[in-house]
Amino acid sequence: MKKKVYPISMTVLWGIVFATAMRNWTLGICMGLLMGIAFGLLDSDKEDDEEKKNKK
């Protein structure tokens, strides 16, 4: 869960920034979601599972 805090916060931040700049909340939220994806919001869980196995 700690790895998801940064991408989620970046999604919210960029969503607000784009919504304010474009004066369109729908488009701003969509652009914010795309920025969140760029920062790793939708990474696969397979990588997390492999890291857990390697720690053991």
Side-chain angles (χ1 to χ4, degrees), residues 12-52:
V12 172
L13 172 71
W14 284 109
I16 293 170
V17 168
F18 282 125
T20 304
M22 295 179 190
R23 295 190 176 126
N24 186 345
W25 283 97
T26 305
L27 188 58
I29 291 171
C30 292
M31 290 295 292
L33 184 60
L34 290 175
M35 290 300 290
I37 291 169
F39 281 101
L41 182 63
L42 298 177
D43 286 341
S44 67
D45 291 334
K46 291 179 183 179
E47 294 173 1
D48 294 337
D49 292 339
E50 290 176 8
E51 289 177 11
K52 287 179 185 178

